[in-house]
């Protein structure tokens, strides 16, 4: 572990020399994840809410579904939040007990929900039609309910999922209808859940949502948990805002304790962070193919694009870019772009240590929603992934090859 150096967030936790070595060893583009940073975030979360008697942290695995990352969380004692039956299967393959997995699907078929019953995982439904169909099939079963608390929270409209126009959750105004379905089918409720968005920096949204969940849950006997979802904001640059976990804990812990007292039972409090746990552990290394001067701009063109890392283009998210080949270089302005035949800007007009063709750039906060959103657009191979674990580097996903691009193609005779 001694080669890993911890500094404040958004600063590289793996030494630059080490990153350069890994780029040489495995080639670029390359994803690198530092397991120490993941553990640190997990512990930070646990410590923040240590006042809660029964705290459950479920890693929202759509952020990064590499099986080894899932296994790492399983070893930490985490549970798993899943949104597709495939994620459920990956979780089981990683060794999670089915009851430590919550399946929170949206707009999936009843067939998919039935499969999750076969796998024995916990189910969290967010649609009255599915609830009714489910109840007809499995009367007396217990499910969780995702409530839409009608709160506009989150970093941008694509990642705001709890407002009145959102497709997620059962509106808390529809509780009477939900109760009727429960009576008609015999279904039971084991927990209430909300998840209102991502990059939520103001804790008041969590508190507003919590209030609604408490008000809802108090009328239902025999619930096991209340799940506050996630959406914790992490810093993307120096002095960037982040969700104040300690402040949130101060407010929520007391309110949760009061709820349990009124409810007459110690139930579990669940959070299901994705980004908070894995965003900052990740580094994406790219090779600078060309420097291109135009009349207005100096471009650095790298061997990747939105096929591998779509967040800047899709969400306008800011990711720090550092020239790890020239850390002492003079700071100059660059627009860092990819090689995809479409606009794919990683960073516009950024101050970066002087970039030369052949340098390796490091793009930060590359652990969450990066590889898991990658594609083969432009018929490019998806990158390799490396995990730093106990101070050693392990290849945890091979770089793709032409065989991978061809494996599902059925060639017909013409
Ligand atoms: C995506 C998702 C999360 C994780 O959100 P983050 O912003 O990455 O923490 C949690 N719960 C559900 C239901 C999700 O869909």
């Amino acid at each position: 572990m001694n080669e890993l150096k911890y500094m404040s967030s958004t600063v590289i936790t793996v030494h630059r020399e080490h990153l350069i070595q890994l780029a040489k060893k495995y080639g670029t583009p390359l994803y690198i994840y530092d397991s120490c940073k993941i553990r640190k975030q997990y512990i930070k979360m646990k410590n923040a809410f240590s006042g809660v008697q029964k705290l459950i942290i479920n890693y929202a695995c759509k952020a990064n579904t590499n099986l080894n990352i899932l296994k790492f969380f399983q070893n930490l004692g985490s549970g798993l939040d899943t949104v597709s039956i495939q994620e459920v299967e990956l979780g089981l393959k990683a060794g999670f007990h089915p009851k430590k997995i919550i399946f929170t699907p949206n707009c999936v078929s009843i067939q998919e929900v039935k499969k999750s019953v076969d796998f024995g995982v916990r189910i969290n439904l967010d649609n009255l039609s599915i609830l009714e169909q489910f109840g007809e099939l499995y009367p007396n079963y217990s499910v969780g309910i995702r409530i839409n608390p009608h709160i506009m929270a989150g970093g941008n409209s694509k990642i705001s999922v709890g407002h009145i126009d959102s497709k997620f959750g059962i509106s808390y105004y529809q509780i009477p209808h939900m109760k009727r379905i429960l009576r008609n089918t015999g279904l039971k409720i084991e927990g209430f859940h909300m998840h209102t968005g991502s990059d939520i920096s103001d804790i008041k949204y969590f508190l507003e949502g919590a209030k609604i969940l408490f008000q809802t849950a108090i009328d239902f006997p025999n619930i096991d948990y209340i799940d506050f979802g996630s959406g914790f904001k992490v810093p993307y640059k120096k002095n960037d805002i982040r969700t104040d976990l300690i402040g949130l804990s101060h407010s929520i812990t007391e309110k949760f304790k009061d709820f349990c007292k009124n409810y007459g039972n110690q139930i579990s409090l669940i959070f299901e962070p994705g980004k908070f746990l894995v965003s900052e552990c990740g580094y994406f290394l790219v090779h600078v193919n060309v420097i291109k001067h135009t009349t207005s701009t100096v471009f650095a063109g790298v061997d990747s694009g939105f096929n591998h890392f779509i967040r800047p283009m899709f969400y306008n998210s800011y990711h720090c870019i550092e020239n790890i080949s020239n850390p002492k270089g003079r700071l100059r302005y660059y627009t860092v772009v990819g090689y995809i035949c479409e606009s794919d800007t990683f960073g516009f007009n950024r101050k970066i240590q002087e970039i030369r063709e052949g340098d390796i750039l490091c793009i930060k906060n590359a652990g969450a929603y990066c590889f898991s959103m990658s594609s083969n657009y432009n018929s490019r191979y998806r990158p390799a992934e490396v995990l730093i674990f106990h101070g050693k580097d392990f290849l945890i996903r091979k770089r793709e090859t032409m065989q991978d691009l061809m494996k599902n193609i059925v060639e017909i005779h013409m």
Side-chain angles (χ1 to χ4, degrees):
M1 214 76 27
N2 35 11
E3 54 214 285
L4 302 181
K5 213 155 97 192
Y6 284 115
M7 295 171 268
S8 67
S9 306
T10 80
V11 176
I12 293 181
T13 60
V14 183
H15 203 276
R16 278 178 200 86
E17 298 300 323
H18 193 180
L19 291 173
I20 296 269
Q21 263 175 29
L22 295 175
K24 283 198 182 120
K25 180 168 173 187
Y26 297 102
T28 58
L30 182 68
Y31 278 103
I32 296 167
Y33 311 121
D34 172 11
S35 64
C36 285
K37 180 65 181 169
I38 301 178
R39 183 187 291 111
K40 214 173 149 199
Q41 292 297 99
Y42 182 80
I43 290 170
K44 210 189 268 181
M45 181 105 216
K46 277 198 85 148
N47 287 346
F49 294 95
S50 58
V52 175
Q53 214 178 67
K54 290 163 105 177
L55 175 73
I56 296 177
I57 299 173
N58 287 340
Y59 167 53
C61 72
K62 71 179 187 291
N64 189 327
T65 39
N66 189 296
L67 194 72
N68 299 284
I69 300 284
L70 303 193
K71 281 167 71 177
F72 187 75
F73 276 107
Q74 204 270 328
N75 289 338
L76 286 177
S78 169
L80 206 63
D81 176 68
T82 59
V83 294
S84 72
I85 200 70
Q86 291 79 8
E87 285 188 354
V88 168
E89 282 200 66
L90 285 174
L92 293 170
K93 277 186 204 299
F96 285 91
H97 187 279
K99 289 293 170 227
K100 290 195 86 171
I101 300 178
I102 297 190
F103 179 40
T104 301
N106 175 261
C107 292
V108 309
S109 67
I110 187 72
Q111 282 76 18
E112 187 166 331
V113 181
K114 278 167 76 176
K115 272 194 199 153
S116 72
V117 172
D118 297 340
F119 285 131
V121 298
R122 290 184 187 269
I123 299 165
N124 184 25
L125 297 178
D126 87 333
N127 177 315
L128 290 178
S129 163
I130 291 285
L131 188 70
E132 199 169 279
Q133 294 176 60
F134 189 90
E136 295 293 335
L137 289 166
Y138 308 100
N140 304 316
Y141 211 86
S142 283
V143 292
I145 294 290
R146 178 174 188 168
I147 295 287
N148 182 338
H150 304 306
I151 292 170
M152 188 63 177
N156 68 58
S157 64
K158 283 199 188 85
I159 53 177
S160 280
V161 293
H163 55 88
I164 195 141
D165 285 329
S166 165
K167 66 169 184 156
F168 296 94
I170 293 171
S171 164
Y172 72 95
Y173 295 117
Q174 291 177 306
I175 303 273
H177 191 178
M178 186 186 83
K179 282 183 172 163
R180 174 148 302 153
I181 292 171
L182 298 179
R183 271 199 303 276
N184 289 344
T185 60
L187 264 185
K188 309 232 166 0
I189 299 301
E190 65 174 9
F192 283 99
H193 165 269
M194 68 164 186
H195 173 68
T196 56
S198 209
D199 281 352
I200 306 171
S201 45
D202 192 336
I203 62 171
K204 78 168 191 239
Y205 296 112
F206 288 100
L207 299 176
E208 279 175 27
K211 199 167 152 195
I212 287 168
L213 286 197
F214 291 145
Q215 280 167 1
T216 308
I218 199 84
D219 288 341
F220 291 79
N222 308 318
I223 65 166
D224 293 338
Y225 67 83
I226 287 187
D227 184 337
F228 289 121
S230 173
F232 304 120
K233 166 136 185 21
V234 296
Y236 289 91
K237 47 188 151 184
K238 240 189 195 150
N239 304 322
D240 197 8
I241 43 167
R242 65 190 81 192
T243 311
D244 171 17
L245 274 196
I246 302 297
L248 179 65
S249 158
H250 277 313
S251 318
I252 287 255
T253 304
E254 283 316 305
K255 292 192 166 81
F256 185 71
K257 279 183 176 162
D258 288 345
F259 172 82
C260 289
K261 207 187 276 170
N262 291 338
Y263 191 68
N265 197 3
Q266 271 300 328
I267 61 168
S268 301
L269 171 57
I270 305 181
F271 284 110
E272 45 187 34
K275 191 177 283 174
F276 177 83
L277 294 171
V278 295
S279 173
E280 295 161 273
C281 82
Y283 304 95
F284 186 48
L285 303 188
V286 293
H287 173 267
V288 179
N289 288 336
V290 290
I291 297 290
K292 183 170 185 173
H293 293 258
T294 67
T295 48
S296 61
T297 306
V298 184
F299 287 105
V302 303
D303 63 347
S304 182
F306 73 69
N307 50 332
H308 300 150
F309 195 109
I310 202 173
R311 289 180 42 76
M313 305 84 183
F314 193 47
Y315 300 119
N316 262 327
S317 56
Y318 184 101
H319 289 262
C320 278
I321 304 175
E322 194 171 310
N323 184 359
I324 53 174
S325 297
N326 192 17
K328 297 215 163 72
R330 183 160 67 89
L331 293 172
R332 302 186 67 185
Y333 286 91
Y334 297 92
T335 291
V336 178
V337 294
Y339 59 11
I340 289 294
C341 287
E342 232 170 280
S343 293
D344 56 348
T345 303
F346 285 104
F348 174 74
N349 203 32
R350 295 285 186 85
K351 218 172 178 180
I352 301 172
Q353 302 91 340
E354 181 161 20
I355 304 178
R356 303 145 311 179
E357 292 180 354
D359 281 352
I360 303 290
L361 304 186
C362 174
I363 305 179
K364 296 182 206 170
N365 287 75
Y369 307 106
C370 290
F371 187 94
S372 65
M373 295 180 85
S374 65
S375 77
N376 289 119
Y377 188 46
N378 279 205
S379 295
R380 296 288 185 180
Y381 307 141
R382 266 178 282 213
E385 295 180 290
V386 166
L387 182 68
I388 302 178
F389 180 62
H390 291 325
K392 290 204 191 84
D393 50 282
F394 294 89
L395 183 67
I396 57 170
R397 191 191 304 265
K398 292 190 252 181
R399 187 177 305 287
E400 287 182 336
T401 63
M402 186 47 80
Q403 267 175 349
D404 295 304
L405 293 189
M406 291 296 290
K407 72 172 180 254
N408 293 322
I409 298 294
V410 181
E411 221 179 330
I412 59 169
H413 292 290
M414 324 189 158

